[in-house]
Amino acid sequence: MASNRQTDTAALVAMLGEHTTVNVRLALIADAQRWQLHHAQVTFDDDTPVTERAWRYSTATFLEARLPGSTVAALLRGEEQDVRGLHVVCLDPPSASASIYRLRGQQEWGRVTTPWPRTEWTINRDANALQPGYDLLVGDGPSFLNFDQALSAFLYQRSHDSNASHVDLWRIALPQRAGWLSQITIGPDLLTAVIDGEVLDGAVLELSWASGNHVQPVDGAGTLSFELPQGLVHDSLLMLRREDQWLDWRSFPAPTYGHARDASVVWEQPGPELEILLANGEGQHLECKREVPEGDSRKKMLKTIAAFASRDGGTVLIGVQDDLQIVGLPEKPNFDKQLLEVVGMIRDNLEPMPPYEPSLIDHEGKTILAIEVASGGQMYAYRNGQRPEYYVRVGPNTVPARHPEIAAGFRQAPTATRC
């Protein structure tokens, strides 16, 4: 979770002015004889080289460059600046304050994930600001159907999500590389953490849980381990800190298979985790299928996946009967082909694409396909022909969403993709 507070924009302007150069990505819209700033990403990072890029069209321009900090500070103040031969101005009235967030490593924010922690400042765009058009973009750069698709490709090399709009006028990031957890491996009786960092003097690594904690000093980059005689306790917290300031952390809630996995965390105990999940039985967050479904059963599974994503997440286990007996997937067709079949079902029938992760689990000689669905913070539809259908999970049942539930789901949908 990101900690959120406010800071004066003037402090950001001063910080930018103190830096000789900063890395920037700019999205600009043509406005008479000038270019108006639509979105700016700025990174204080002297260690990462920038490959300068420019996509130029008659109505829009996208630039990546290393610019003087004073130039970017002037833009933030609302002053017109010459940027690579373009007259650029930020016409939105400068906001008096910016939101500031402190993020741990491997935390997604605005479609970006970094291995190390970072501090980010954001300033929202004025609702009345000039908006990009929806014309085809053809020019000195790849061709795109519209501005939003070009922006997403330029910033993230990913396709545009029509349910995620970019409301940030400014997004400014400061990497925090003093220390971070680059990989955590959790086995049945041992937790091992690989620690990297540039300033680790005086740091400690702490594993805490409801009834106790263990602390080890950190002598530098390397590996530390904690013995887990009873396995990892649910809701444990692993924290790399120096006195009362955290450098990086990871938390480990009870396994539900319903939350997107952290790429830096490796679980080497799928058997016990699967047994804990099955011990709770089918319900709000678990659906079991004996095999990859066909016909009407296929539709039921897809509705359930949409319902999981629309609320709190959940898991579909294929290769497990309704009575929770593990039978495993049939060996023919092969397991990878069955996984790809399910992935294709989700891609072709759910809208937008829900956040999920498929995985094959080996358990006592049998293979189970787990579809771990994370909460997407919005409503997801099963596409029945041209008609979207919305569902929610009520106990062990998937039922049609009522109009107030659908409306509430769209109201809570994030205006920008944040974590």
Side-chain angles (χ1 to χ4, degrees), residues 150-215:
L151 178 63
S152 189
F154 189 82
L155 295 179
Y156 312 113
Q157 293 77 54
R158 290 162 64 178
S159 59
H160 172 61
D161 182 350
S162 60
N163 288 279
S165 59
H166 298 276
V167 299
D168 295 337
L169 176 64
W170 290 90
R171 180 167 170 238
I172 301 171
L174 174 64
Q176 305 282 358
R177 297 196 183 96
W180 70 91
L181 302 167
S182 60
Q183 181 170 299
I184 300 102
T185 302
I186 301 170
D189 56 6
L190 189 71
L191 182 150
T192 303
V194 179
I195 301 169
D196 285 313
E198 299 173 354
V199 187
L200 290 167
D201 296 344
V204 298
L205 184 65
E206 177 184 12
L207 178 64
S208 59
W209 59 98
S211 60
N213 73 327
H214 288 312
V215 178

Side-chain angles (χ1 to χ4, degrees), residues 20 23 64 127 149 171 302 371:
T20 304
N23 299 342
E64 180 171 10
Q149 289 194 358
R171 180 167 170 238
L302 292 168
I371 308 298

Side-chain angles (χ1 to χ4, degrees), residues 7-15 95-96:
T7 188
D8 289 338
T9 302
L12 270 179
V13 171
M15 190 185 306
S95 175

Side-chain angles (χ1 to χ4, degrees), residues 234 254-257 270-288 317 320-326 363:
H234 298 164
T256 64
Y257 281 107
E273 196 176 357
L274 179 62
E275 291 169 358
I276 292 172
L277 180 65
L278 291 175
N280 295 321
E282 280 193 306
Q284 188 78 20
H285 305 291
L286 178 65
E287 177 83 6
C288 296
L317 292 179
V320 180
Q321 296 184 152
D322 290 342
D323 61 4
L324 306 184
Q325 180 182 351
I326 299 174
H363 182 79

Side-chain angles (χ1 to χ4, degrees), residues 61-85:
T61 290
F62 303 89
L63 295 174
E64 180 171 10
R66 194 164 182 86
L67 298 179
S70 57
T71 298
V72 182
L75 281 174
L76 183 53
R77 287 195 299 266
E79 300 173 7
E80 184 173 331
Q81 295 291 299
D82 182 278
V83 179
R84 298 296 189 266

